[in-house]
């Protein structure tokens, strides 16, 4: 990778990487128009050249569809000796309907560091869920002149990772219901005979269960005692404890709660342990359950936190889906599924390489929900990026939602899993969004903005900046330098921007700079890039620290986050939550980090409490577990895990034009 | 492509294509072992070389994952002037649990034509459903030394086409339930206002609906009369007529019948047309429906029959999912979805290129169910293959199930859609399977075979050959030359094999030859290849004819198939089926070809009626429609559209080994 910084007086037609300089149009066209113009008029960098830019040999990339490639994990593993690059996380204030541009800033900053400043840089972002693409949400490729291209390739299917998660999740779901179905109908002996035909040795996944049960895994099936056979074969799942849901990457509200197994063939003749007894009448094998959107699956959370294929295999197998009637956790491996899930996910563990409009590299990988999961892209993509850019380079990674959620989980969960140490956090804010935090009127989609948002109102900005200030203070608790990026809108005035800057610096930000990458590409974020470079150079990764010790009790850990990050007065655990904490601690899951599921719109659990609320408590209704992924997630408020479609979904605009091109996708 | 035929005395270490000769091991290892040995020891042909073998330039292939590439449709379109190659369909006798090896013969024959005989040859096969991979079924990549490699890449995910079908199918399903939900709650005026915001012109998909309704599509939304607005906005779907199911590529019996929409938020406040009236109480918006396995989706059937991206777009939009309360068909385009479905399927329309163990090219594309759909791979893959191989070459394509189903649909539906004219049909039979058709005892999975199947019993073979003979006669009705391939098993005796040959020739087969490609690769099917070459040379594609005129009534068309192919005495239509025929003819769907859904195990509708049954009638319980794909499918007997998992599913064996390799996949 070239590392010659561009001179500020450079008027050449090429940028710091030697590519044609971006020629932004004004007004900025729609996202899909920008993307298609770049592809058609400037052209994409061939994948082999993109690989070369990263110092990869041709056999270190696997081309995977149109302008996409997967990168094998060997790229990271063969560079173990290379010192890591500078690790920068991009986060934001609490989101508002006005949009803050966190993804856009992640991409814009990477373009600035790479194409303008000539620093080896990789942006790491999440793969977006495809479901909302056709519903109400925009794309997630960034926007304007700070985006990943081709955006339709980014937003649709990508390289199939989310589809692999769907397949794995639903295989496990089918395995659960089917296992209960077969167990209900068969004696221990019949079950064991079918599971372990006498001519077959125990398969690897069965050996895992044998080890868990304390039975010698090298025995032949016939050598087990009848008691051991029963123990092995009967999982005795309590249907009321099943937490595993099915998933689809579709916005389908009618699947939120469903009753399955109501067909005429899903009846079971209950087993009779006394062969002399008359056969019992058949009973319907139905159950009320639900679907989540795929990115809410624990399989996705595992993908984001796994460090290697064997680690992925272990984590998938360790996922707890239910408890036995005796209270023992039942895992995917107990169901015989862990290996198959890993095989389904073997390609998904490889990050996908794409490029920005300025031909700088982007790794897209994993996209777990930001409330019930970590909301951060994968550990392996960041690890790979840090090795590829080397000590003079930058890995710019994005954390979902606001800094109270995404950044906190980035530090306390993702960095704990990876062992990586970030040096700098970029917190994105906009004048408009801060006005809303300062008490500006509500905003409705499709209606013109109220005057507060389009006319100067420094006081509103100042009041709202309390939200930003608290996030800055929070980030500093982790030992990173904080740079605030004020993502510019046309209506922002110099006085308003200065008010944001002042508030940020007063709160302890290392720097606060204006950025206009949406309209100008990397050039618009050049100052931001310089500030980030300085913030990294001025910090030692040894300063990085976690907010809590995982060996604290679950209750204590939740309290630390609630008080230190949200600034709550305290936490109220329901009786359910208290019982669950006891159960988890008894099952050996007490030392997992905490991944709080709460609204992203406020520091508190009340989405309407803007700014920097105080004097509130955090109610924990229940605590769920992702034992495979490795965290517990307290539920604070209503969390929706599969969206619906509005009366006029986005799909109405999406079509194929006469030239076979995609139209109407954002 | 090289076209120098190999001399039969050739003892060189390379085959007719100049690649290392296959070195089969005896006994033949498992399928995954053969595949992994070929990949590791012989190596795969780089995709660029495979493309070159087909006369493609490097920019005519799109590498897509590990040892796979997609081929753009331009490859076919820029070769319009090239005469087509010889078109050969591989089909079989009625299947038995003993397996006939149709996929294996398709691949083995292609290896023989290509690698042994040096003829430009492409095999075209279906993408298998991934669901059964983890249940009870084996792979579909062929087997032994006649298979597609790497088989784990073939069997898992491939290039994501089935996942795209899942996504498209389920987006449409969500659109249906959501639309009814929103229509139930909103007045015509409110609905129209939301669907057509005043500042937006009608989108392309809306213009399609306007044209259908006879409203000028160039009008602005505000210019519609209130009556036109109501007509446009209210689909008024009758929930009892919804035929669209959700799909998953998973064997999950508990999803066969489900009740959706039972969650607390899926309640709707019924609209009140009189604003003075008090609001009605909220009602639950639930419905009983079901899931199919993805390959049973009409979207998959469309993929298999579409000829181009615009044609795919039109067919997807034309899919009828329900009827309005007034009896009008409601399509995907009426729901605003057709464009989005096409965008989701834009990559899926491109066939996937892989290779055999002998480095000959294979196109894998589409995999519709063989009972409720056509059971044939795609039209576009065959078209592309015929152009790539040119007039001296061969496209060997496979049809699902037995010849009474897969071949009949291949000729009457697929060839009608494509306009392509096959010259030769290969009917695969085995001695063992014919013994079962001749009255041999039932076979149970996992139990040793009865002596009838492992000891010589010529009489049983002769009796069972009646099944083969009838398929041969049937195939000849379409004007093709028929070659019978006797797929060899170790226990077959010369007298038994001769009995099959005799029966085939007596029934009018052009030739009947022994083939042993499973154990020997292409060399084992060299005689079969020679017979196929002669059969093609000896036939004129002008001889090809359909069995019925689509302009006959539905009843007449069903009767032609039942009598000419199954040899039934007649057809019994239920009252439901008669009412449906009337409805379809009234809706303008009467001239679609017929795709009968019946058991594959017998000519009749009774799976236990082996051999060549007579004196039976075909009961048609109901007739469903695939208006987008372009056929009607009468249901004759119980058709299961989503399998379940056994007590010990195949997934128990699948795992990742210490080197990261896949184990236990067949």
């Amino acid at each position: 990778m070239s590392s010659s910084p561009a001179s500020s007086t450079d008027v050449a037609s090429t940028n710091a990487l030697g590519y044609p300089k971006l020629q932004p149009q004004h007004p900025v066209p729609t996202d899909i128009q920008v993307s298609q113009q770049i592809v058609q008029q400037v052209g994409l960098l061939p994948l082999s050249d993109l690989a070369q830019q990263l110092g990869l040999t041709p056999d270190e990339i696997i081309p995977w569809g149109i302008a996409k490639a997967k990168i094998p994990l060997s790229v990271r593993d063969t560079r173990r000796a290379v010192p890591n690059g500078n690790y920068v996380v991009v986060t934001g204030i609490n989101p508002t309907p006005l949009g803050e541009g966190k993804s856009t800033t992640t991409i814009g900053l990477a373009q600035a560091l790479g194409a303008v400043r000539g620093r080896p840089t990789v942006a790491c972002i999440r793969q977006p869920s495809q479901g909302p693409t056709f519903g109400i949400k925009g794309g997630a490729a960034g926007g304007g002149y700070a985006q990943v291209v081709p955006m339709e390739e980014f937003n649709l299917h990508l390289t199939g990772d989310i589809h692999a998660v769907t397949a794995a999740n639903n295989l496990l779901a089918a395995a659960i219901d089917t296992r209960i179905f077969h167990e209900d109908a068969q004696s221990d002996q019949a079950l064991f005979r079918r599971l372990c035909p006498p001519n077959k040795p125990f398969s690897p996944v069965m050996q895992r269960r044998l080890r868990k049960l304390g039975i010698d895994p090298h025995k032949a099936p016939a050598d087990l005692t009848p008691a051991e056979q029963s123990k092995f074969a009967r999982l005795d799942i309590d249907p009321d404890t099943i937490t595993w849901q099915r998933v689809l990457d579709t916005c389908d509200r009618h699947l939120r709660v469903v009753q399955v197994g109501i067909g005429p063939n899903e009846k079971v003749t209950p087993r009779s342990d006394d062969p002399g007894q008359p056969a019992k009448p058949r009973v319907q094998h139905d159950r009320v359950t639900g679907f989540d959107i795929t990115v809410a699956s624990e399989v996705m959370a595992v993908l984001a936190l796994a460090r290697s294929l064997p680690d992925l295999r272990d984590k998938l197998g360790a996922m707890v889906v239910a408890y036995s009637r005796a209270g023992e956790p039942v895992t995917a491996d107990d169901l015989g599924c862990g290996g198959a899930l890993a095989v389904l996910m073997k390609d998904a563990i490889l990050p996908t390489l794409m490029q920005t409009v300025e031909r700088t590299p982007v790794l897209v990988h994993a996209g777990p929900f930001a409330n019930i999961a970590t909301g951060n892209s994968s550990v392996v993509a960041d690890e790979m990026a840090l090795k590829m850019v080397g000590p003079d380079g930058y890995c710019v990674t994005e954390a979902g939602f606001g800094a109270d959620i995404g950044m906190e989980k980035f530090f306390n969960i993702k960095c704990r899993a990876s062992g990586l140490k970030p040096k700098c956090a970029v917190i994105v804010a906009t004048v408009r969004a801060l006005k809303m935090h300062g008490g500006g009127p509500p905003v409705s989609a499709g209606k013109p903005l109220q005057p507060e948002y389009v006319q100067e109102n420094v006081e509103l900005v100042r009041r709202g900046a309390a939200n930003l200030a608290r996030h800055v203070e929070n980030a500093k608790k982790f030992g990173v330098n904080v740079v605030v990026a004020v993502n510019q809108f046309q209506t922002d005035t110099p006085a308003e921007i200065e008010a944001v800057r002042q508030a940020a610096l007063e709160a302890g930000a290392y720097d606060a700079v204006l950025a206009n990458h949406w309209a100008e590409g990397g050039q618009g974020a050049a100052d931001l890039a310089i500030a980030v470079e300085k913030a990294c150079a001025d910090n030692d990764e040894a300063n990085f620290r976690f907010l809590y010790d995982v060996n604290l009790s679950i209750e204590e850990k939740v309290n630390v986050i609630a008080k230190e990050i949200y600034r709550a007065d305290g936490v109220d655990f329901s009786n359910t939550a208290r019982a669950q904490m006891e159960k988890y601690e008894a099952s050996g899951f007490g030392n997992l980090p905490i991944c709080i599921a709460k609204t992203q719109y406020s520091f508190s659990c009340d989405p309407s409490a803007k700014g920097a609320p105080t004097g509130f408590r955090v109610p924990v209704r229940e605590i769920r577990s992702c034992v495979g992924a490795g965290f517990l997630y307290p539920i604070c408020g209503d969390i929706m895990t599969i969206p619906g479609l509005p009366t006029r979904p986005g799909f109405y605009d999406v079509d194929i034009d006469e030239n076979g091109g995609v139209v109407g996708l954002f």
Side-chain angles (χ1 to χ4, degrees), chain A residues 387-407:
Chain A
K387 293 299 181 196
M388 291 194 298
V389 300
D392 299 329
Y394 296 83
C395 164
V396 182
T397 195
E398 184 192 353
F401 284 177
D404 55 328
I405 300 182
M407 182 191 71

Side-chain angles (χ1 to χ4, degrees), chain A residues 345-548:
Chain A
M345 295 290 291
K346 78 176 175 59
D347 296 334
I349 186 82
L350 313 183
T352 297
L353 178 67
M354 290 188 72
Q355 61 191 282
T356 67
V357 291
E358 295 187 76
R359 300 183 169 185
T360 67
V362 178
L363 287 180
V364 190
H365 203 209
F369 247 39
N371 42 34
I372 64 162
T374 55
N376 279 267
S377 63
S378 81
V379 161
V380 292
D382 287 3
E383 288 180 325
M384 191 179 271
L386 288 165
K387 293 299 181 196
M388 291 194 298
V389 300
D392 299 329
Y394 296 83
C395 164
V396 182
T397 195
E398 184 192 353
F401 284 177
D404 55 328
I405 300 182
M407 182 191 71
E408 182 271 315
K409 294 176 181 178
F410 170 76
F411 289 139
N412 281 323
I413 303 178
K414 184 177 174 184
C415 291
R416 202 183 307 253
S418 68
L420 297 173
K421 295 179 189 300
K423 285 184 177 170
C424 172
V426 174
I427 301 183
V428 183
T430 65
V431 165
R432 288 177 171 201
L434 290 176
K435 283 178 172 176
M436 178 168 256
H437 278 294
V443 171
S444 317
K447 297 237 172 90
L449 284 176
Q450 303 268 36
E452 282 84 347
Y453 296 112
V454 288
Q455 294 166 10
E456 184 170 281
N457 190 329
V458 178
E459 183 48 29
L460 217 47
V461 176
R462 254 190 216 122
R463 282 212 302 267
N467 184 274
L468 172 63
R470 189 181 281 180
H471 288 300
V472 171
E473 293 163 17
N474 285 349
K476 291 191 69 185
K477 295 183 182 185
F478 295 89
V480 297
N481 279 338
V482 180
V483 174
V484 170
V486 186
N487 189 17
Q488 189 171 11
F489 274 71
Q490 238 180 339
T491 47
D492 300 351
T493 69
E496 289 174 331
I497 291 163
E498 189 51 31
V500 182
R501 267 181 46 80
Q502 280 309 322
L505 294 172
E506 278 165 29
Y510 183 86
D511 203 349
V513 277
L514 189 64
N516 193 20
H517 38 274
W518 179 78
E520 295 172 15
Q523 194 58 55
D527 292 344
L528 176 62
I530 293 168
V532 166
E533 288 173 39
K534 284 189 187 152
C536 289
D538 236 15
N539 196 6
D540 189 313
E541 62 175 37
N543 291 328
F544 176 69
R545 58 189 172 268
F546 303 122
L547 202 62
Y548 57 81

Side-chain angles (χ1 to χ4, degrees), chain A residues 164 309 312-313 316 337-348:
Chain A
L309 187 56
L312 180 82
R313 164 67 189 87
L316 291 172
C337 253
L341 303 186
V343 168
L344 281 168
M345 295 290 291
K346 78 176 175 59
D347 296 334

Side-chain angles (χ1 to χ4, degrees), chain A residues 601-664:
Chain A
Y601 298 114
S602 171
F603 274 105
S604 77
C605 297
D606 168 10
S608 67
K610 303 290 174 208
T614 52
F616 64 90
R617 298 182 64 83
V618 171
V620 175
R621 200 179 65 213
E622 55 172 321
I623 302 181
R624 300 188 196 151
S625 70
C626 277
V627 174
F631 55 78
L632 302 174
Y633 60 107
I635 307 287
C636 311
D638 289 329
I639 303 297
M640 202 248 296
T641 50
I642 182 165
L645 291 169
T647 303
R648 187 196 195 283
F651 63 63
Y652 264 97
D653 294 314
V654 182
D655 223 315
I656 302 279
D657 68 14
E658 54 277 15
N659 305 316
V662 175
V663 295

Side-chain angles (χ1 to χ4, degrees), chain A residues 554 572-584 620-624 634-635:
Chain A
I554 300 171
D572 297 322
F573 293 92
S574 70
N575 289 338
T576 307
R578 291 203 174 275
Q580 287 163 325
M581 287 193 285
E582 261 182 56
K583 181 161 127 181
Y584 296 141
V620 175
R621 200 179 65 213
E622 55 172 321
I623 302 181
R624 300 188 196 151
I635 307 287

